[in-house]
Amino acid sequence: MSSTPAKAMDPQPAKTNDGKKKVVAVVGGGLVGALNASFLAKRGFQVQVFEFREDIRQAEVVRGRSINLALSLRGREALKHIGMEEKIISKGIPMHARMIHSISGKQSPIPYGKKGQYILSVDRANLNKELLTAAEAYPNTKLNFGYKLLDWSCDSGMMTFQGPNGTEEEIHADLIVGCDGAFSAVRKQFLRQRRFNYSQTYIPHGYIELTMPPINGQFAIAPNFLHIWPRTTFMMIALPNLDKTFTCTLFMPFEEFDKITTGDQALEFFQKYFPDAVPLMGVAALKQDFFQFPAQALVSVKSSPHHMGDRCVLMGDAAHAVVPFYGQGMNAGFEDCIVFDDIMDQFNEDLSAVLLEYSKMRVPDDHAIADLAMYNYIEMRSHVNSRWFLFRKYLDNFLHRIMPRTIIPLYTMVTFSRMRYHEAVRQWQWQQKVISRGLFLCGTTSAIGGTYLLIKLFGMRPSISLEQLWNRVLALKWF
Ligand code: FAD
Ligand code: EGU
């Protein structure tokens, strides 16, 4: 349910001066565009969605950027706003914990939190289809497939599309919402704007997706988990699907992908790093599927502001593509839609004020999640193997247990709350400080106490001066 306040006295802001409904063009009918169409249709705008691909509901094969995704609280809240939460979660598979696979094949579960704290594995294609169908149900929404945005003008609101039969079409809109993904065509115009900040970073890792089939009609590994094989330089993650398969995503530097050119090398690689997965995936399938598609690149994009004048705004990956190492890309894009919707209420759909406020509000949070995801990528590839992963999570959980209100794990704030991303980061930095101060205090107290006992009880004399000792403590850099 949206919390739209009564607007009895407003001159119906969803309409232009001459009383016509304002036209909003949503460019891109991916996850965020399709969801946003419903948000905007609910407000009474005349919504036109332009999607480059054909209608995926009619397509035979859909190849997106990943087969399934982890849906968490932020994404769920957005779905709830358009009445789609139940429909989507009924087809999602709850993951209550991670399952860490060590090289020896040992599996260790680590819960995400309390009973109700779980994430869901959802099918990207199904989610996209359901969202398109929900948007289409509004009489004031039209979906246009096979329309590729070529160019647009902020001054006039005119967009040039390449239509389904190859001809160019000019279309006008009062508001253009760019939801056209990480390589956004809408964003191109932004680059020519004064004082627009933009950064784009490709990480050295790419990914391929492999399928783990069911065994005797059952999931090959426990279904209600996010399976992780952390191997420092390499990492594999597996999410369950409704057809009892798992989609395994292997992350690895392109340099390493390049070294593997034959089926036997692929098998050898898997036997070395993911031996327990080999019989489950099947030797023959592994040798083939490894080369079915070339490894895909991963890009991180930041931009600010997210809007241009009173005519155009970017949302989802178009505004902030993040690397997938927090499972938040779609969730953040979905939350964008809630934030925009709230600001539309707050500013009575006065677009120039709304867009300005939206950027002001959302840029710090989108930057924060982009940074967090990148930080986690760097951390995982530099020293996270299965033992380290388990140790860190046990430590975090232990600290949370002894100080439940002071120390909350970062992933909990990100995944299971709607605390603003930038505030979660700030809270986390503060917690780190509390922890290191605590450790420091414990360390120095026991060192001083120990020294005192040695001298007092055993008559020992320290072999180094107090000053030297102090300098050694400082060198530990626990601050
Ligand atoms: P997209 O899904 O890319 O959609 C953009 C749409 O715009 C497409 O349909 C495209 O055809 C269309 N388009 C592009 N250009 C034009 C044009 N010129 N004219 C018209 N249409 C155009 N996120 C999570 O929350 N949880 C996860 O577990 C997760 N896992 C991931 C794993 C991997 C390997 C990757 C790569 C990403 C993952 N993500 C995850 C991130 C998630 O996929 C994205 O954040 C999400 O798809 C963004 O949605 P979007 O609608 O903004 O962009
Ligand atoms: C990567 C690829 C475990 C789907 C980050 C956790 C991801 C997902 C984690 C992909 C990890 C990493 C978190 C979730 C999730 C963890 C999280 C990552 C879903 C910190 C389909 N990540 N992902 N963190 O805590 O918060 O379990 O492709 F291995 S869900 Cl990299 Cl919660």
Side-chain angles (χ1 to χ4, degrees):
M1 289 295 107
S2 153
S3 50
T4 315
K7 291 196 198 100
M9 300 192 314
D10 301 334
Q12 291 174 297
K15 299 189 177 174
T16 52
N17 289 338
D18 53 7
K20 281 205 215 116
K21 275 187 189 168
K22 275 190 186 160
V23 176
V24 178
V26 176
V27 180
L31 297 178
V32 175
L35 173 76
N36 221 347
S38 286
F39 268 93
L40 294 159
K42 237 176 112 175
R43 308 200 74 92
F45 291 113
Q46 204 175 314
V47 180
Q48 294 275 347
V49 178
F50 298 97
E51 166 58 46
F52 163 55
R53 295 172 300 176
E54 58 176 326
D55 189 341
I56 52 167
R57 295 167 298 177
Q58 262 111 64
E60 291 199 353
V61 276
V62 187
R63 257 205 66 85
R65 298 191 300 115
S66 65
I67 290 154
N68 51 23
L69 316 113
L71 173 70
S72 51
L73 182 94
R74 295 172 201 263
R76 286 181 63 162
E77 283 292 313
L79 293 172
K80 197 187 283 174
H81 274 69
I82 61 154
M84 288 292 286
E85 190 189 20
E86 282 310 314
K87 186 148 205 178
I88 299 303
I89 63 171
S90 70
K91 285 199 170 179
I93 300 174
M95 299 182 286
H96 300 275
R98 314 113 171 139
M99 186 70 89
I100 309 303
H101 295 243
S102 71
I103 292 223
S104 67
K106 189 168 180 266
Q107 299 190 27
S108 320
I110 314 171
Y112 276 114
K114 294 183 211 67
K115 257 235 139 17
Q117 290 186 316
Y118 57 87
I119 54 178
L120 289 145
S121 173
V122 298
D123 181 88
R124 177 194 290 269
N126 178 62
L127 176 58
N128 206 156
K129 289 175 189 175
E130 293 283 9
L131 290 174
L132 288 170
T133 300
E136 209 170 33
Y138 291 89
N140 48 329
T141 298
K142 184 157 186 298
L143 307 181
N144 306 279
F145 295 101
Y147 279 79
K148 182 182 184 182
L149 180 77
L150 299 176
D151 203 4
W152 63 278
S153 155
C154 189
D155 297 329
S156 64
M158 288 306 283
M159 297 170 286
T160 311
F161 286 95
Q162 182 165 51
N165 36 28
T167 53
E168 285 190 10
E169 288 182 42
E170 300 276 316
I171 291 158
H172 175 267
D174 299 297
L175 174 66
I176 299 167
V177 184
C179 300
D180 51 347
F183 306 100
S184 169
V186 175
R187 199 177 57 215
K188 276 189 196 132
Q189 284 293 327
F190 279 64
L191 295 172
R192 308 162 71 200
Q193 186 181 208
R194 244 164 52 89
R195 302 183 58 209
F196 177 68
N197 297 299
Y198 177 74
S199 76
Q200 164 181 313
T201 310
Y202 281 93
I203 59 172
H205 280 58
Y207 71 94
I208 58 169
E209 289 181 303
L210 302 163
T211 303
M212 185 184 282
I215 295 177
N216 298 327
Q218 284 308 313
F219 282 103
I221 46 180
N224 296 107
F225 296 86
L226 183 130
H227 290 264
I228 310 172
W229 289 255
R231 301 286 184 267
T232 317
T233 324
F234 323 112
M235 178 172 69
M236 190 162 74
I237 286 200
L239 272 69
N241 298 306
L242 276 182
D243 64 2
K244 299 198 180 349
T245 61
F246 270 89
T247 302
C248 306
T249 311
L250 170 67
F251 295 94
M252 176 158 88
F254 277 98
E255 249 175 53
E256 302 292 329
F257 272 118
D258 292 344
K259 288 184 196 159
I260 298 171
T261 55
T262 67
D264 287 328
Q265 287 171 333
L267 183 61
E268 198 184 325
F269 170 79
F270 259 79
Q271 266 160 352
K272 187 163 177 197
Y273 294 102
F274 312 106
D276 62 330
V278 173
L280 303 176
M281 289 169 141
V283 169
L286 193 59
K287 283 176 155 182
Q288 258 211 328
D289 296 352
F290 198 96
F291 305 100
Q292 194 179 8
F293 297 102
Q296 307 222 54
L298 293 163
V299 71
S300 180
V301 170
K302 282 201 224 171
S303 68
S304 84
H306 287 348
H307 75 288
M308 197 162 157
D310 58 0
R311 180 86 73 182
C312 184
V313 62
L314 301 174
M315 290 195 212
D317 279 15
H320 50 81
V322 307
V323 291
F325 300 96
Y326 244 97
Q328 282 293 311
M330 165 192 66
N331 287 289
F334 280 12
E335 193 177 49
D336 287 347
C337 300
I338 309 180
V339 171
F340 190 77
D341 194 54
D342 284 346
I343 294 172
M344 285 286 250
D345 281 342
Q346 229 175 304
F347 290 84
N348 269 321
E349 298 179 358
D350 167 5
L351 290 183
S352 64
V354 166
L355 298 196
L356 199 69
E357 177 65 15
Y358 176 75
S359 278
K360 195 172 144 209
M361 181 81 163
R362 200 55 181 162
V363 164
D365 294 321
D366 287 334
H367 280 18
I369 192 60
D371 290 342
L372 273 181
M374 187 61 86
Y375 175 88
N376 203 41
Y377 161 67
I378 291 168
E379 166 137 325
M380 302 261 322
R381 69 153 189 214
S382 64
H383 57 254
V384 179
N385 54 21
S386 58
R387 270 176 58 199
W388 181 260
F389 194 99
L390 289 168
F391 168 73
R392 276 304 317 199
K393 296 298 169 193
Y394 288 143
L395 182 65
D396 282 356
N397 285 345
F398 170 75
L399 291 168
H400 178 56
R401 198 127 17 88
I402 58 171
M403 296 178 280
R405 272 184 304 268
T406 315
I407 310 288
I408 297 160
L410 180 57
Y411 79 85
T412 305
M413 296 186 276
V414 167
T415 308
F416 298 114
S417 87
R418 281 209 52 216
M419 178 190 278
R420 292 183 60 183
Y421 287 126
H422 88 271
E423 277 169 10
V425 171
R426 229 190 264 158
Q427 173 76 16
W428 174 58
Q429 286 166 342
W430 177 83
Q431 288 177 187
Q432 299 291 98
K433 223 151 121 187
V434 171
I435 294 168
S436 57
R437 294 262 161 92
L439 275 175
F440 181 73
L441 221 70
C442 285
T444 41
T445 316
S446 52
I448 292 168
T451 315
Y452 176 81
L453 286 178
L454 288 176
I455 296 170
K456 208 61 189 173
L457 297 180
F458 305 110
M460 285 183 174
R461 285 279 160 263
S463 61
I464 57 170
S465 73
L466 211 73
E467 189 183 4
Q468 279 171 312
L469 188 70
W470 178 247
N471 284 335
R472 286 191 191 185
V473 170
L474 283 188
L476 290 173
K477 289 207 182 94
W478 265 346
F479 304 97

